[in-house]
Amino acid sequence: MKLLSHPLARALGLALGIAALSPAQAQDYPSRNVTIVVPFGAGGGVDITARLLAEKLRTTLGGTVIVENKAGGSGMIGAQAVTKAAPDGHTLLLGSAGETAINPFVYKGRMQYDPTKDLVPVTLVVRVPNVLVVANKLPVKNTEELIAHAKKNPGKLSYSTSGVGNPQHLNGELLEELGGVFMVHIPYRGAAAQLVDVTSGLVDMTFVSYTAAKSFIQAGKVKPIAVTSPTRASFAPELPALAEHKPLAKYALENWFGLFAPAGTPDAVVQKLNAAVTAALKDPELAKKLREQGGEPAPMSPQQFKDFIKKESVQFERIVTSAKITAE
């Protein structure tokens, strides 16, 4: 007892106690409702993915899983809320590449959290390639013709995205870099407006999710050119990848959605969550629904996901720095 009265001994005892509790926590987890925070509004890609996943997790994880939207601040309000939640696995974040891997380079010191320190990667859920579509009036029908046309008209072609510094914007910057072209970026507040202005010809092209563009493509209101993934996407195999055009062979930049927990969440709980999500994503029905939404299911181990984010961040930082992208 004397030994335990020493501050260092008490601290050591507490640490050992926490470590000993972790497996028990995992066995009893979840002990109440699990909330998946979506840092964007209802109806978008992250929200739909979260709701589809939550429905399946009620079986693979057990218990009630609900989705809560906390939109604003380019996804950072919801993400920050999760960093402040109890680290017990009952409050999670389904985050996109923006607020977890790109924003630190765009907003720099203005962020109120550090994704690498305040969040624990659980697993990648889906990779979400964007699709490049152009106005019908544009005299091009494939990537090669688009690049050639852009080179003949430097600074005259415009492309819309849903904001500054997000994956769509980086898609445009990467196309300019690898294609050796100069275009004008026009940021919008959402997919609907950016697509409508392409259909009217007010804007020449846009990078957008396949889900948002699908009805416009099917109605013949825009011309699909390619997807931004390194290879063709299973949900639209008829569309080539930009990388199939030889000068763009190194082109690969996708959005992605992944599950995160607050820093300090016991590893045993993280591993249980990872197993539950992996099992959910192996369900053919859920995988089919996710692909219909333009997502490619891609579960990873927590360490693989951590390494994936680190690798992605290298490219994001390089593009943001090279293009001198900063948020107002």
Side-chain angles (χ1 to χ4, degrees):
M1 296 297 295
K2 269 189 175 182
L3 179 62
L4 289 178
S5 67
H6 191 282
L8 181 59
R10 287 201 303 271
L12 179 60
L14 179 60
L16 291 173
I18 292 174
L21 282 173
S22 293
Q25 284 178 309
Q27 187 176 357
D28 296 336
Y29 173 81
S31 59
R32 60 180 188 278
N33 291 353
V34 173
T35 298
I36 298 177
V37 174
V38 170
F40 301 99
V46 182
D47 179 66
I48 293 172
T49 299
R51 293 180 190 280
L52 289 172
L53 180 62
E55 183 179 356
K56 191 63 183 175
L57 281 178
R58 291 175 189 128
T59 300
T60 61
L61 183 62
T64 301
V65 182
I66 61 177
V67 174
E68 181 180 355
N69 298 89
K70 286 183 178 292
S74 297
M76 293 185 289
I77 290 177
Q80 184 181 355
V82 173
T83 67
K84 295 182 176 180
D88 56 13
H90 290 90
T91 302
L92 307 170
L93 170 73
L94 186 66
S96 71
E99 67 280 3
T100 61
I102 300 175
N103 286 359
F105 310 118
V106 176
Y107 290 86
K108 298 183 179 178
R110 288 179 287 168
M111 286 183 67
Q112 300 300 307
Y113 65 96
D114 182 340
T116 62
K117 296 179 180 178
D118 300 330
L119 292 170
V120 176
V122 175
T123 182
L124 182 63
V125 177
V126 289
R127 302 178 77 131
V128 191
N130 282 311
V131 58
L132 171 60
V133 300
V134 304
N136 286 331
K137 71 168 189 176
L138 209 63
V140 303
K141 60 181 181 295
N142 54 47
T143 304
E144 184 178 1
E145 292 180 359
L146 174 62
I147 295 297
H149 186 69
K151 285 184 175 180
K152 290 179 182 178
N153 298 275
K156 294 182 180 180
L157 295 188
S158 58
Y159 71 96
S160 60
T161 72
S162 58
V164 173
N166 64 19
Q168 294 176 6
H169 184 189
L170 269 57
N171 278 140
E173 295 289 351
L174 186 59
L175 182 63
E176 289 187 80
E177 176 189 325
L178 297 180
V181 298
F182 169 57
M183 304 182 296
V184 177
H185 174 228
I186 304 178
Y188 283 68
R189 289 185 177 274
Q194 71 192 72
L195 277 160
V196 167
D197 281 358
V198 173
T199 64
S200 68
L202 186 62
V203 179
D204 295 302
M205 67 191 83
T206 188
F207 289 92
V208 69
S209 71
Y210 182 73
T211 305
K214 189 175 180 180
S215 63
F216 289 82
I217 293 171
Q218 291 175 336
K221 294 181 178 180
V222 295
K223 291 185 289 187
I225 297 297
V227 292
T228 65
S229 46
T231 58
R232 298 192 182 203
S234 65
F235 54 78
E238 73 283 0
L239 287 182
L242 283 166
E244 290 181 36
H245 179 47
K246 286 187 178 180
L248 303 180
K250 294 183 179 180
Y251 194 104
L253 198 155
E254 307 164 277
N255 194 2
W256 41 261
F257 309 154
L259 197 67
F260 296 82
T265 301
D267 184 64
V269 172
V270 172
Q271 294 295 339
K272 186 171 184 178
L273 272 167
N274 180 274
V277 175
T278 299
L281 293 176
K282 287 182 179 178
D283 178 70
E285 183 180 354
L286 176 58
K288 180 175 181 289
K289 289 179 179 179
L290 291 171
R291 289 191 178 99
E292 288 172 348
Q293 297 299 320
E296 299 279 11
M300 297 177 173
S301 71
Q303 185 60 51
Q304 287 173 330
F305 187 31
K306 183 177 181 179
D307 293 342
F308 170 82
I309 295 170
K310 186 175 182 179
K311 183 178 178 181
E312 289 282 283
S313 295
V314 171
Q315 177 174 227
F316 295 151
E317 181 179 21
R318 185 189 63 75
I319 296 173
V320 169
T321 302
S322 176
K324 299 179 181 179
I325 301 172
T326 56
E328 297 296 331

